[in-house]
Amino acid sequence: MDIIMPKMGESVNEGTIIKWHKKVGDKVKRDEIIFEISTDKVDTEIPAPEDGILSEILVNEGETVEVGTVVARIQTEAGKAQEKVETKTEEIPEVKQTEETAAEMVEQKNVTSTLSTSGNIIEIAMPKMGESVMEGTIIKWHKKVGDKVKKDETIFEISTDKVDTEIPSPEDGTLIEILVGEQETVEVGTIVAKLAVGSDVVIPKPVSESVPKSETRSEELVSMHDNFSTMIETSEESPNEADRFYSPLVLSIAEKENVSFEELRKITGSGIEGRVTKKDILAYIEQRKSKSGEIQKTESKTPHPQVTKTAAPTPSFVPESSSTYSSEDVIKIPMDNIRMKIMEHMIHSRDTSVHVTSMIEADITLIHNFINQKKDEYLQKENVKLTYMAFIADAVVKSLKKYPLLNSTIDGNTILQKKFINLGIAVAIEPTGLIVPNIKGAGERNIIGLAKAIADLANRARTKKLTPDDISNGTFTITNYGVFGTIFGTPIINQPEVAILGVGTVQKKPVVVEINGSDSIAVRHIVALTLSHDHRLIDGMLGGLFLKSLKEILENFDPENFN
């Protein structure tokens, strides 16, 4: 697997290797840091996309190369298996022919069989768009096989539970192969296309759809893909059923979940030309489990018959009673990809973290008065709009420094306490989207710097100009539902973080204040701050101390020392 210099921003065209954390021959695990890079935008750590062995380092520390350049190679288990198969097929000509035939049957019918080129082949992988993002869905291909592409020209769009983004070409060249179709979901690091770099690129006509039947071979060389491919080719069903394409990911899931080819063939695909996608097969497996559970439940309730009596047949499925609607009473709205990803991400968070929510009220009258007095001055002097959020973000940063355990993640039985603060700001995207870009290095910014960063991220989020770096490696999130008038909420933690702060709307409320030892009632500007935290790591005491710190910082704001 080729490891390339990633594109860390729209205007970033090159990067420098700062440090290699692994050397040639070292074993690496998926998501383990293998090297660090530096660009004019950001310094960041690059994780391994798969388990394997670092087999080659092509760019040394201190060297600067262009985005898309292959800097290292990892030998994966799949690669080892392929090498083993290739070695054996070279020794046995008959097996080699069968191997090639099976491979042709697994691939799409319009993929070319040979390639003539004077340049190199670049494999384009599904990029990692965030620390917790493990897969992505291809929304649209902007290029087709045989098209010429220029460096940084968009070739396809992807969607993850973090962001929708366009993926540019790493070099000038010709798109010679598309391995993953539109609406298909694959894991990060999966090769989705191949690009030929060079001037003399010739793509022959597509291979004939007439493929000879595969011969039986030794058991040790029969792989999952070959088994399904042979089934497809030897099927006596209609040509459309026999020629149906199944991606490697779908076949892998089918083998793992013991889905037979007969079952696979009956699944209605939602992909291009009716192709079965990951979503389709997972939905089928879930439905199969549900039916199986229903059968077991029914059987357990059926009394054992007497020897002299005949037991009545038990129905295999008992539908639950539910309300029915006519088509005129409802509007059916299919979920878009980003809404489905948000749904999956929220369910994952619910099932991962033990959510506990606490709330405190803070009197921000001093901040409210300061904003009203100084907003025009700072708009002219600093070109920044002062908002409550900038002051709350500043209080969060100071409180995280005081209680750094809230700036952590959980990795198995290990706590990863971050020394840096990347503050996530939830941004609502019309009509029903939500994204959380991060203020990198928030711990080194003052209130003005935070205000500028918040405005910039919100603007770029709504105009789809965020980069992968903007939405990755967050450590703590703030969500401001108060902007819509909401007073109180219980936000869901943004995985893999351990806490999130919800900010309600600022209200004028009558409160009891003490003046010169006497109690009196005054109208103050009050905000409700809600902290949802993961009780696996953050106990109620620590959560309460964090909220208390926020309250004290906000209520003791000193306009004279504002910076």
Side-chain angles (χ1 to χ4, degrees), residues 394-442:
D394 178 67
V396 167
V397 167
K398 291 175 180 176
S399 297
L400 287 175
K401 291 179 179 180
K402 189 174 181 181
Y403 302 104
L405 205 58
L406 281 91
N407 198 53
S408 305
T409 58
I410 298 174
D411 183 13
N413 295 326
T414 304
I415 300 169
L416 304 179
Q417 184 172 300
K418 310 296 176 62
K419 295 180 179 180
F420 55 89
I421 298 175
N422 291 341
L423 194 60
I425 304 295
V427 180
I429 307 297
E430 294 293 343
T432 58
L434 183 69
I435 194 169
V436 185
N438 301 304
I439 301 174
K440 297 299 173 68

Side-chain angles (χ1 to χ4, degrees), residues 371-388:
I371 291 175
N372 284 342
Q373 295 169 7
K374 299 290 185 177
K375 59 183 179 181
D376 293 336
E377 176 185 336
Y378 279 93
L379 185 61
Q380 295 179 359
K381 184 171 64 174
E382 300 283 353
N383 193 29
V384 62
K385 183 179 180 181
L386 291 180
T387 64
Y388 298 126

Side-chain angles (χ1 to χ4, degrees), residues 295-506:
I295 293 172
Q296 294 177 2
K297 181 178 178 181
T298 304
E299 289 177 347
S300 66
K301 291 183 177 181
T302 303
H304 293 289
Q306 300 294 329
V307 177
T308 58
K309 296 182 179 180
T310 302
T314 302
S316 60
F317 176 73
V318 180
E320 296 181 359
S321 61
S322 61
S323 301
T324 58
Y325 306 93
S326 68
S327 59
E328 297 178 353
D329 294 331
V330 296
I331 299 174
K332 294 183 178 180
I333 304 174
M335 282 191 180
D336 58 20
N337 192 69
I338 193 169
R339 174 47 53 186
M340 288 191 291
K341 292 298 182 183
I342 292 173
M343 177 177 66
E344 293 170 3
H345 190 56
M346 295 299 100
I347 292 174
H348 170 65
S349 182
R350 179 202 65 185
D351 295 341
T352 300
S353 296
V354 183
H355 283 67
V356 173
T357 304
S358 304
M359 191 270 284
I360 199 169
E361 287 186 330
D363 182 348
I364 60 170
T365 304
L366 293 175
I367 294 173
H368 172 82
N369 294 338
F370 180 82
I371 291 175
N372 284 342
Q373 295 169 7
K374 299 290 185 177
K375 59 183 179 181
D376 293 336
E377 176 185 336
Y378 279 93
L379 185 61
Q380 295 179 359
K381 184 171 64 174
E382 300 283 353
N383 193 29
V384 62
K385 183 179 180 181
L386 291 180
T387 64
Y388 298 126
M389 180 56 69
F391 292 85
I392 293 171
D394 178 67
V396 167
V397 167
K398 291 175 180 176
S399 297
L400 287 175
K401 291 179 179 180
K402 189 174 181 181
Y403 302 104
L405 205 58
L406 281 91
N407 198 53
S408 305
T409 58
I410 298 174
D411 183 13
N413 295 326
T414 304
I415 300 169
L416 304 179
Q417 184 172 300
K418 310 296 176 62
K419 295 180 179 180
F420 55 89
I421 298 175
N422 291 341
L423 194 60
I425 304 295
V427 180
I429 307 297
E430 294 293 343
T432 58
L434 183 69
I435 194 169
V436 185
N438 301 304
I439 301 174
K440 297 299 173 68
E444 284 71 53
R445 298 174 184 263
N446 59 17
I447 295 177
I448 295 299
L450 290 170
K452 290 181 177 180
I454 291 169
D456 173 64
L457 288 178
N459 178 62
R460 289 193 289 120
R462 296 185 177 109
T463 56
K464 292 189 175 182
K465 293 183 179 179
L466 292 174
T467 67
D469 183 58
D470 291 324
I471 49 86
S472 65
N473 211 19
T475 62
F476 186 95
T477 296
I478 302 175
T479 179
N480 182 18
Y481 41 72
V483 71
F484 306 110
T486 303
I487 300 172
F488 171 81
T490 56
I492 297 176
I493 297 169
N494 184 27
Q495 297 298 322
E497 298 165 13
V498 295
I500 182 172
L501 182 73
V503 180
T505 191
V506 177

Side-chain angles (χ1 to χ4, degrees), residues 70-91:
V70 178
V71 300
R73 290 189 175 96
I74 290 179
Q75 180 71 51
T76 63
E77 290 300 321
K80 289 181 181 178
Q82 181 63 28
E83 287 181 356
K84 184 177 180 181
V85 170
E86 289 174 355
T87 301
K88 291 186 178 182
T89 55
E90 288 175 0
E91 297 172 355

